[in-house]
Amino acid sequence: QSALTQPASVSGSPGQSITISCTGTSSDVGSYYLVSWYQHHSGKAPKVMIYEVTKRPSGVSNRFSGSKSGNTASLTISGLQAEDEADYYCCTYAGNSIYVFGTGTKVTVL
Amino acid sequence: EMQLVESGGGVVRPGGSLRLSCAASGFTFDDYGMTWVRQAPGKGLEWISGINWNGDSTGYADSVKGRFTISRDNAKNSLYLQMNRLRAEDTAFYYCARGDINYYGSGSRNWFDPWGQGTLVTVSS
């Protein structure tokens, strides 16, 4: 049950696009189409931004999109805005009633 | 409005026990699996345990297996986490969230939404 690997930080200017990677193994990310992404502002409840790799919950901006290739999933934020500054975590179902989160990425809007 | 409210956090000595509760409202509680996630100070989110809709299937992270027990009372719309033999490294904010513990195919909700605001557990002598 090793944490999925994410970059510690990603930054971009307003209006730019950024991509956060999430690397696991063939036993977790590579085995299931069940990667989800969470936005976490300090002191608040985490919020799901993407589920089942590419799906966006009602109310989440279409500036957020997800994808997966092999053992690596990605979250792209386009048209970066100041309110996107937060920590982002990927998560996947890993079988046998187990989930694994990523190490987390701090997004900074310059 | 869907809502999850955790309670039961506090300060406990190493080796001690604590029971967390999570009260659910705004959705049909016994239709869904539930989960506990924690965040230690300065660290990332860590999934620690989940339970299916009727309590007969559970899962635990290696870090808490054998020490923590997840349970639920559907009549009370409540989720629980019994934490025994607590260690300093269990110090964290503990969040409950809705999400299935197993993959059932289409209709399975293998993501976490909504989340509670969290309750702080501090393990210290």
Side-chain angles (χ1 to χ4, degrees), chain B residues 27-34 51-54 72 74 98-100 109:
Chain B
F27 64 95
T28 305
F29 184 66
D30 56 11
D31 275 353
Y32 298 94
M34 297 292 294
I51 189 168
N52 75 333
W53 69 276
N54 67 357
R72 64 189 295 160
N74 288 344
R98 185 181 69 175
D100 286 324
R109 294 179 59 95

Short mmCIF file of all heavy atoms in Angstrom, two decimals, chain B residues 27-34 51-54 72 74 98-100 109:
data_model
loop_
_atom_site.label_atom_id
_atom_site.label_comp_id
_atom_site.label_asym_id
_atom_site.label_seq_id
_atom_site.Cartn_x
_atom_site.Cartn_y
_atom_site.Cartn_z
N PHE B 27 -29.04 12.27 2.90
CA PHE B 27 -29.03 11.18 1.92
C PHE B 27 -29.40 9.88 2.64
O PHE B 27 -29.40 9.82 3.87
CB PHE B 27 -27.68 11.06 1.20
CG PHE B 27 -26.50 10.69 2.09
CD1 PHE B 27 -26.09 9.38 2.22
CD2 PHE B 27 -25.79 11.68 2.76
CE1 PHE B 27 -25.00 9.05 3.02
CE2 PHE B 27 -24.71 11.36 3.56
CZ PHE B 27 -24.31 10.04 3.70
N THR B 28 -29.76 8.87 1.85
CA THR B 28 -30.15 7.58 2.43
C THR B 28 -28.90 6.83 2.85
O THR B 28 -28.23 6.20 2.03
CB THR B 28 -30.97 6.77 1.41
OG1 THR B 28 -32.09 7.55 0.97
CG2 THR B 28 -31.49 5.49 2.05
N PHE B 29 -28.59 6.92 4.13
CA PHE B 29 -27.31 6.44 4.66
C PHE B 29 -27.06 4.98 4.31
O PHE B 29 -25.95 4.61 3.89
CB PHE B 29 -27.30 6.64 6.18
CG PHE B 29 -26.01 6.28 6.85
CD1 PHE B 29 -24.85 7.01 6.60
CD2 PHE B 29 -25.94 5.22 7.75
CE1 PHE B 29 -23.66 6.69 7.24
CE2 PHE B 29 -24.76 4.89 8.38
CZ PHE B 29 -23.61 5.62 8.12
N ASP B 30 -28.06 4.12 4.45
CA ASP B 30 -27.81 2.69 4.27
C ASP B 30 -27.80 2.27 2.80
O ASP B 30 -27.77 1.07 2.50
CB ASP B 30 -28.78 1.84 5.09
CG ASP B 30 -30.24 2.13 4.80
OD1 ASP B 30 -30.53 2.84 3.83
OD2 ASP B 30 -31.08 1.62 5.57
N ASP B 31 -27.78 3.21 1.87
CA ASP B 31 -27.58 2.91 0.46
C ASP B 31 -26.10 2.95 0.07
O ASP B 31 -25.74 2.58 -1.05
CB ASP B 31 -28.32 3.92 -0.42
CG ASP B 31 -29.78 3.53 -0.64
OD1 ASP B 31 -30.17 2.42 -0.22
OD2 ASP B 31 -30.51 4.35 -1.23
N TYR B 32 -25.25 3.43 0.99
CA TYR B 32 -23.88 3.74 0.60
C TYR B 32 -22.83 3.14 1.54
O TYR B 32 -23.05 3.03 2.75
CB TYR B 32 -23.66 5.25 0.56
CG TYR B 32 -24.52 5.96 -0.44
CD1 TYR B 32 -25.74 6.51 -0.07
CD2 TYR B 32 -24.12 6.07 -1.77
CE1 TYR B 32 -26.54 7.16 -1.00
CE2 TYR B 32 -24.91 6.71 -2.69
CZ TYR B 32 -26.12 7.25 -2.31
OH TYR B 32 -26.91 7.90 -3.22
N GLY B 33 -21.67 2.85 0.96
CA GLY B 33 -20.50 2.57 1.77
C GLY B 33 -19.95 3.87 2.34
O GLY B 33 -20.28 4.96 1.87
N MET B 34 -19.12 3.73 3.35
CA MET B 34 -18.54 4.89 4.02
C MET B 34 -17.06 4.63 4.28
O MET B 34 -16.60 3.49 4.33
CB MET B 34 -19.24 5.18 5.34
CG MET B 34 -20.71 5.56 5.22
SD MET B 34 -20.97 7.15 4.42
CE MET B 34 -20.25 8.26 5.62
N ILE B 51 -16.19 0.73 4.88
CA ILE B 51 -17.20 -0.26 5.23
C ILE B 51 -18.31 -0.21 4.19
O ILE B 51 -18.62 0.86 3.65
CB ILE B 51 -17.75 0.01 6.66
CG1 ILE B 51 -18.64 -1.12 7.16
CG2 ILE B 51 -18.48 1.36 6.71
CD1 ILE B 51 -18.95 -1.02 8.66
N ASN B 52 -18.91 -1.37 3.87
CA ASN B 52 -19.97 -1.36 2.89
C ASN B 52 -21.30 -0.98 3.53
O ASN B 52 -21.38 -0.69 4.71
CB ASN B 52 -20.05 -2.70 2.17
CG ASN B 52 -20.67 -3.79 3.03
OD1 ASN B 52 -20.59 -3.74 4.26
ND2 ASN B 52 -21.27 -4.78 2.39
N TRP B 53 -22.36 -1.01 2.75
CA TRP B 53 -23.64 -0.43 3.18
C TRP B 53 -24.22 -1.10 4.42
O TRP B 53 -24.85 -0.44 5.25
CB TRP B 53 -24.65 -0.50 2.04
CG TRP B 53 -25.10 -1.89 1.72
CD1 TRP B 53 -24.47 -2.80 0.92
CD2 TRP B 53 -26.26 -2.55 2.22
NE1 TRP B 53 -25.16 -3.98 0.90
CE2 TRP B 53 -26.26 -3.86 1.67
CE3 TRP B 53 -27.32 -2.17 3.07
CZ2 TRP B 53 -27.27 -4.78 1.95
CZ3 TRP B 53 -28.32 -3.08 3.35
CH2 TRP B 53 -28.28 -4.37 2.79
N ASN B 54 -24.01 -2.41 4.58
CA ASN B 54 -24.63 -3.09 5.72
C ASN B 54 -23.61 -3.55 6.76
O ASN B 54 -23.98 -4.22 7.73
CB ASN B 54 -25.48 -4.26 5.25
CG ASN B 54 -24.64 -5.38 4.64
OD1 ASN B 54 -23.41 -5.27 4.51
ND2 ASN B 54 -25.27 -6.47 4.27
N ARG B 72 -20.85 0.68 11.73
CA ARG B 72 -21.92 1.63 11.41
C ARG B 72 -23.21 1.18 12.06
O ARG B 72 -23.41 -0.01 12.34
CB ARG B 72 -22.09 1.76 9.90
CG ARG B 72 -22.54 0.50 9.19
CD ARG B 72 -22.46 0.67 7.67
NE ARG B 72 -23.39 1.68 7.21
CZ ARG B 72 -23.26 2.29 6.01
NH1 ARG B 72 -22.27 1.99 5.20
NH2 ARG B 72 -24.15 3.20 5.65
N ASN B 74 -26.98 1.84 10.94
CA ASN B 74 -27.85 2.45 9.94
C ASN B 74 -29.11 3.04 10.55
O ASN B 74 -29.69 3.99 10.01
CB ASN B 74 -28.19 1.43 8.86
CG ASN B 74 -27.00 1.13 7.95
OD1 ASN B 74 -26.02 1.89 7.92
ND2 ASN B 74 -27.07 0.03 7.22
N ARG B 98 -18.40 9.61 2.18
CA ARG B 98 -19.23 8.58 1.57
C ARG B 98 -18.51 8.00 0.37
O ARG B 98 -17.97 8.74 -0.45
CB ARG B 98 -20.56 9.20 1.12
CG ARG B 98 -21.56 8.22 0.58
CD ARG B 98 -22.84 8.93 0.13
NE ARG B 98 -22.62 9.75 -1.05
CZ ARG B 98 -23.60 10.41 -1.69
NH1 ARG B 98 -24.83 10.33 -1.24
NH2 ARG B 98 -23.32 11.13 -2.75
N GLY B 99 -18.50 6.67 0.27
CA GLY B 99 -17.87 6.01 -0.87
C GLY B 99 -17.87 4.51 -0.66
O GLY B 99 -17.75 4.04 0.47
N ASP B 100 -18.00 3.75 -1.75
CA ASP B 100 -18.07 2.29 -1.65
C ASP B 100 -16.70 1.69 -1.35
O ASP B 100 -15.67 2.16 -1.83
CB ASP B 100 -18.63 1.70 -2.94
CG ASP B 100 -20.13 1.93 -3.07
OD1 ASP B 100 -20.82 1.87 -2.04
OD2 ASP B 100 -20.60 2.15 -4.20
N ARG B 109 -19.92 3.48 -6.41
CA ARG B 109 -19.39 4.82 -6.19
C ARG B 109 -18.02 4.72 -5.53
O ARG B 109 -17.91 4.77 -4.30
CB ARG B 109 -20.33 5.65 -5.32
CG ARG B 109 -21.68 5.95 -5.96
CD ARG B 109 -22.57 6.75 -5.02
NE ARG B 109 -21.96 8.00 -4.63
CZ ARG B 109 -22.19 9.16 -5.24
NH1 ARG B 109 -23.01 9.20 -6.28
NH2 ARG B 109 -21.62 10.28 -4.83
#
